[in-house]
Amino acid sequence: MRAVKWILLGLVVLIAAAVVALLTVDVNRFKPQIVAAVENATGRKLEIAGDLELKIFPLPAVAVNGVTFANAPWGSRPHMATIGEFAAEPDLFALLRRQIKIDRLVLSDVDLLLEKNRQGQANWEFAAKSEAKPAAPQEQKAAGDQHQVSDLPVISNVLLKNVKLAHRDAQSGASNDLLLNELSVKEQGSGLLATRLVAVINTHRVEAEGTLGSLAELSAPSRPWPVKMTVRVPGATATVDGTLAQPMLAKGIDLNVGADVPDLAKMASAFGASAPAVPVKLQTKIKDSGAQRYAFSGLTATLAQSDLAGSGEIALGGTRPSLKLDLASKSFDVTSLLDTGGSNAPAGGGGSSGGTSASAAKSDGRVFSDEPLPLDGLTAVDAVVAYKADRFVAPKFEAQNLSLNLTLKDGVLTVKPVGFGLAGGTINGDITLNGGAKTLAVKLTTAGVVLSDYLQKNEITDIVRRGAPVDIDLDVTSRGGSVRQLMAGLNGKAVLKVGKGELKEEYMQRFLPKLADAVGVLGRATAKTDLYCVVTGLDIKNGVATPKAFLAETGRITIAGDGSVNLGSEQLDLRLVPSSRSVSLASALPAVRVRGSFTDPSFAPDPAALAKSVIGTAAGVAALGPLALLSPALGDRGDSAETACTKAIALAEGKATPQSLQSSQPQQQQQNSNPVDNLRRGLGNLLGR
C-alpha cells in the first residue's frame, strides 16, 4: 500500500514538473523556424502577427492569431490567405508514440483566394525556395525506423467558422465565392466522422450533413473510404452514398447518387435561370471506368410525367469531353419541359398550345429567322447517343416507337437512322449537320402518315375529315449559319403524295366562294368532298422551289398549279387553276394568281389561265404551258380521278407514265403538227381526258 502511494506521488510530481516546464516555455521562439520552414517549402512569405500560445487548461492547446500567407507575385492582392484564429488541441500521449493526433482543430475568420492568371498559372502552385537533397535509401529506411510519424494527422474534431473562399479565373472569366458559415467534423464510432456544413455559394445557401471516413484513412485507406451525404440547395435535395477506394486520387469511385427537385422552376430561379415548373427525380450509380472516365448505370429519372432510363459514360480527357449514352423512355413529353414561364404545361401532347410564341412575326416580317444558329456549340463535346421511346411527344408531334442514333464528332452531328411511327405511318431518314462547314444534308421519307389523324389530334385544322395517308420523299442539302440562310441555300428535291380521304365541304366553299352554289348542288346530300389525291413534286435550286407537278383531285373539282416559291426571299409566284369534269361548271371556275410574301400573300384572277374561256381550249392550253398537263377540264375529260393521280405521281417523281395509262392513239411524227398536240405527247399525254 505504501508503494502505491509513492508511485502516485511520483506521477503527480512528474505531471506537475511537466506542466511547469510547459508553462515556462516561450513557444514564440519557434516562430522564426516556422516561418522559415513554410517559406522554404513554398517560396512564399508567412507572417504571424500574434503570439503563439501554449495552453494547458482545460486541455493542452496551441493557438495563434493574425496569420497571413503571401500571394503569387502576379496575384490580384498581396495575401493569398489570412487566418484570424487558429487553435489545435494535440494529444500529448500520442506524440510520445510518435503519432500526430489532434483532438480538436478550430479555424475562424479565414479569407482564402484561389486564382488563375491569363497564362493559366495558379496561385496554389508553389515553387520551393530550396529543396533538400533526397536521402539515400538506406538513410531513408534508418530515419523511418527511428522517426515513423503518420503522413497525415489524425483529427478527431474540426470546427471552421466564417471562412471565405473566392475563386477567380482570368482565362475563362469564371468567378465564384463561398462563405463557409460552419463546418463541423466530429468523430463517432466505427471510425467515421459526422459532418455538417452550412455555406453560401454565390449568394445561394447550401447545407450538407452525413458521415465520411476518417482523415487518417484519407491518404492511404485500408478499405474503401465511405461517403454518405445529403446536400440541400434552394429547391432541391441531393444524396450521395458509397465509397472511394483512393479518395485523394479520385479513383475507385462507387457512388449511388440521387436528386429530388419538387419544382425545377423554383430551383432555377434561385440561381438566376429559368426552367419549367415540373418535378424532377433522378437516381443512378457512378463508377470511374478509367483515367478521367466515369460510367453511370441504372439511371432512372422522371421529369413531370416523362421517364428516362439507361446508362452511359463521360470522358473528360482528350481535346474535348465525350459522352456515350444509351437511353430509353416509355413516355417522354417535351411540351411540358418547354414552358419556362412558371406554370405547368398539360401532361398530354397535342393541342394548339405552344405555337403562339413560335409563330409571332419577327420585326422584319419574315417567317424564317436570321438569328445565328449555335453551331459553334457542336464542337464543345463529342457524343454517341442511342435513344428509344415507346411514346414521344413534342409540339404538334407525337411519335410511337421512336428510335434514333445520334453521333457528334468534331463538330459534325449525324442522326441516323430515324425510325418511328407517326399517325399510323412511319418516318425514316438521315440528317447531317456540319457545324464547322455550316452545311446541312437531310434525307427523310414518310409512308402512310394519316393526315386527318395528325391534323385533328393536334387541333391544327379539321379540313381533312378522314384518311388521306401521306408519303413524303425529301432529299436536300444546304449551307448557312441561320435558318434563313439554310432555306436560301436549299438544293434538292421533294415529293409529296396524299392519298384518298375526305374533306369538309365548307372549306371548299371558303376556298372557292364563287362556286358555293354549284358545289352545294353537287354535294347537297352530304357535307363532305371526296379527296382522291394531292400530288406535288418540287425541284429546289438555290432556295427556289419549282413544282414539276401540282394536282389536287377530288373527282369533281381539280386544282392544278405551277410557278415558284422562293424560300430565301419568302416570295410566292404561283398559279392555281381549278377545273371540273362538268362542262357546265368549267367556265365558272376562277383561276387564281398567288403572289406576295409568306406572311402577306395576295390572290387575284389570272388572265393567262382564263384565256381558255375567251379564245378556246387549244389556245388556253398553250397559254398555260406545263400546267395544262394537270387540268382535267382541258381537252378530253375521259381520265378518271385515279388515273389523273397516277399520272401526276409519275410526273412528280420524274418517271414515265405507266404504259397501261398511255393513249392508244398513234403518235404523229410530223414536225409541222399542231404544237399543242406535240406538247401533250411530250409530257405524257395527261390531257387525254
Side-chain angles (χ1 to χ4, degrees):
M1 190 68 178
R2 184 182 297 269
V4 174
K5 289 182 179 181
W6 281 108
I7 292 173
L8 292 176
L9 180 60
L11 289 174
V12 170
V13 171
L14 288 174
I15 293 173
V19 169
V20 171
L22 290 173
L23 290 175
T24 57
V25 170
D26 183 11
V27 293
N28 281 291
R29 64 191 178 98
F30 296 109
K31 286 171 58 174
Q33 291 93 322
I34 296 173
V35 170
V38 172
E39 186 173 353
N40 188 62
T42 65
R44 307 271 185 89
K45 187 175 182 180
L46 176 72
E47 294 183 355
I48 304 176
D51 291 334
L52 290 173
E53 297 181 12
L54 180 61
K55 299 179 181 179
I56 301 300
F57 301 103
L59 292 172
V62 177
V64 66
N65 54 54
V67 178
T68 59
F69 181 65
N71 202 359
W74 49 262
S76 60
R77 73 182 193 189
H79 297 131
M80 176 181 176
T82 62
I83 301 174
E85 179 185 0
F86 168 84
E89 298 175 359
D91 186 332
L92 299 180
F93 292 102
L95 285 174
L96 295 176
R97 299 191 300 270
R98 304 189 184 282
Q99 295 177 348
I100 300 176
K101 183 176 181 181
I102 307 298
D103 291 330
R104 179 177 169 84
L105 177 67
V106 177
L107 277 174
S108 63
D109 300 324
V110 178
D111 188 353
L112 176 63
L113 171 64
L114 302 178
E115 61 180 336
K116 278 187 175 182
N117 60 17
R118 295 185 180 277
Q119 289 72 41
Q121 293 176 293
N123 70 339
W124 59 87
E125 296 173 350
F126 304 113
K129 189 173 182 180
S130 63
E131 296 183 1
K133 183 180 179 180
Q138 295 84 355
E139 296 175 354
Q140 291 179 349
K141 184 177 185 302
D145 292 340
Q146 296 177 12
H147 304 286
Q148 185 174 357
V149 179
S150 301
D151 293 333
L152 284 178
V154 177
I155 303 178
S156 301
N157 297 282
V158 176
L159 178 61
L160 277 64
K161 299 185 296 183
N162 191 28
V163 176
K164 296 179 181 179
L165 172 62
H167 174 254
R168 306 285 183 264
D169 191 332
Q171 276 190 324
S172 64
S175 177
N176 295 285
D177 295 282
L178 180 148
L179 173 60
L180 194 61
N181 294 324
E182 176 190 347
L183 173 59
S184 62
V185 180
K186 297 181 180 180
E187 188 177 38
Q188 64 177 29
S190 303
L192 297 177
L193 298 175
T195 305
R196 172 173 168 74
L197 176 145
V198 178
V200 177
I201 302 176
N202 296 333
T203 72
H204 307 300
R205 183 179 176 87
V206 177
E207 296 183 9
E209 59 183 351
T211 57
L212 301 172
S214 67
L215 294 181
E217 290 271 312
L218 190 60
S219 61
S222 59
R223 59 177 181 173
W225 199 68
V227 177
K228 186 173 185 179
M229 297 293 294
T230 298
V231 181
R232 296 181 180 85
V233 298
T237 300
T239 58
V240 179
D241 187 1
T243 59
L244 292 84
Q246 296 176 286
M248 296 296 289
L249 300 177
K251 292 183 178 180
I253 297 173
D254 188 357
L255 300 173
N256 292 305
V257 178
D260 186 359
V261 185
D263 189 336
L264 188 60
K266 182 178 179 180
M267 186 194 75
S269 64
F271 293 89
S274 60
V278 297
V280 177
K281 289 188 177 182
L282 178 146
Q283 191 73 37
T284 189
K285 177 181 282 293
I286 298 177
K287 292 186 175 183
D288 54 331
S289 53
Q292 300 188 66
R293 302 179 72 91
Y294 306 93
F296 64 89
S297 60
L299 170 69
T300 58
T302 58
L303 302 86
Q305 302 301 316
S306 302
D307 65 270
L308 191 66
S311 60
E313 185 179 62
I314 302 173
L316 302 179
T319 56
R320 62 176 66 89
S322 64
L323 301 173
K324 185 177 181 181
L325 304 175
D326 188 354
L327 304 173
S329 299
K330 293 181 179 178
S331 178
F332 203 93
D333 187 350
V334 176
T335 58
S336 64
L337 305 179
L338 297 179
D339 179 15
T340 59
S343 60
N344 285 317
S352 59
S353 62
T356 303
S357 60
S359 61
K362 296 289 184 181
S363 58
D364 59 359
R366 301 284 291 271
V367 173
F368 300 125
S369 172
D370 201 30
E371 291 291 326
L373 294 170
L375 299 179
D376 292 341
L378 296 178
T379 61
V381 65
D382 291 338
V384 177
V385 180
Y387 178 67
K388 294 182 179 181
D390 296 342
R391 175 177 176 267
F392 186 88
V393 179
K396 308 301 181 186
F397 178 87
E398 180 174 340
Q400 295 78 38
N401 300 318
L402 174 69
S403 177
L404 64 86
N405 294 318
L406 179 151
T407 301
L408 178 58
K409 179 69 173 177
D410 297 330
V412 180
L413 174 65
T414 303
V415 183
K416 66 177 186 180
V418 179
F420 53 90
L422 177 67
T426 59
I427 297 181
N428 290 276
D430 300 338
I431 301 173
T432 301
L433 177 61
N434 189 319
K438 297 182 179 180
T439 59
L440 174 69
V442 180
K443 290 185 178 181
L444 288 177
T445 61
T446 74
V449 176
V450 181
L451 188 59
S452 61
D453 292 352
Y454 173 78
L455 295 176
Q456 293 173 28
K457 185 170 186 178
N458 291 283
E459 300 182 5
I460 298 174
T461 178
D462 60 349
I463 184 173
V464 184
R465 287 169 51 107
R466 188 176 301 150
V470 176
D471 295 347
I472 298 176
D473 289 308
L474 179 65
D475 187 353
V476 295
T477 61
S478 188
R479 180 188 299 271
S482 68
V483 175
R484 185 177 299 177
Q485 292 175 4
L486 289 172
M487 298 306 293
L490 210 61
N491 290 280
K493 61 182 180 179
V495 176
L496 168 71
K497 298 176 287 184
V498 181
K500 286 188 176 182
E502 291 181 5
L503 304 176
K504 289 191 71 172
E505 192 71 65
E506 62 180 281
Y507 288 98
M508 297 299 296
Q509 296 177 6
R510 292 176 187 175
F511 183 71
L512 301 171
K514 294 183 179 180
L515 292 180
D517 294 338
V519 171
V521 171
L522 288 174
R524 56 173 167 247
T526 177
K528 68 180 179 63
T529 296
D530 290 330
L531 175 67
Y532 282 85
C533 69
V534 175
V535 179
T536 184
L538 300 175
D539 282 332
I540 308 172
K541 185 175 182 180
N542 297 327
V544 178
T546 304
K548 291 189 296 185
F550 176 81
L551 177 72
E553 176 66 74
T554 71
R556 300 177 314 177
I557 298 175
T558 301
I559 299 176
D562 72 351
S564 65
V565 177
N566 193 317
L567 301 173
S569 63
E570 300 184 14
Q571 294 295 310
L572 300 166
D573 187 8
L574 297 170
R575 290 185 295 175
L576 301 178
V577 179
S579 57
S580 175
R581 289 177 176 78
S582 171
V583 178
S584 61
L585 288 178
S587 61
L589 297 172
V592 179
R593 192 85 185 196
V594 183
R595 288 193 172 102
S597 67
F598 288 4
T599 57
D600 187 23
S602 64
F603 301 85
D606 179 39
L610 291 174
K612 64 182 178 66
S613 63
V614 178
I615 57 177
T617 298
V621 170
L624 287 174
L627 179 62
L629 282 174
L630 302 177
S631 180
L634 303 178
D636 186 358
R637 284 176 288 274
D639 277 354
S640 66
E642 290 87 349
T643 299
C645 290
T646 302
K647 291 182 177 181
I649 290 172
L651 185 61
E653 294 178 341
K655 300 177 181 178
T657 304
Q659 187 70 30
S660 60
L661 300 181
Q662 294 183 9
S663 173
S664 58
Q665 298 177 357
Q667 297 191 8
Q668 301 186 22
Q669 303 296 327
Q670 293 89 341
Q671 296 296 322
N672 60 352
S673 62
N674 189 313
V676 174
D677 292 337
N678 289 334
L679 176 65
R680 292 169 62 182
R681 288 194 302 270
L683 296 177
N685 199 30
L686 278 178
L687 290 175
R689 299 190 175 190

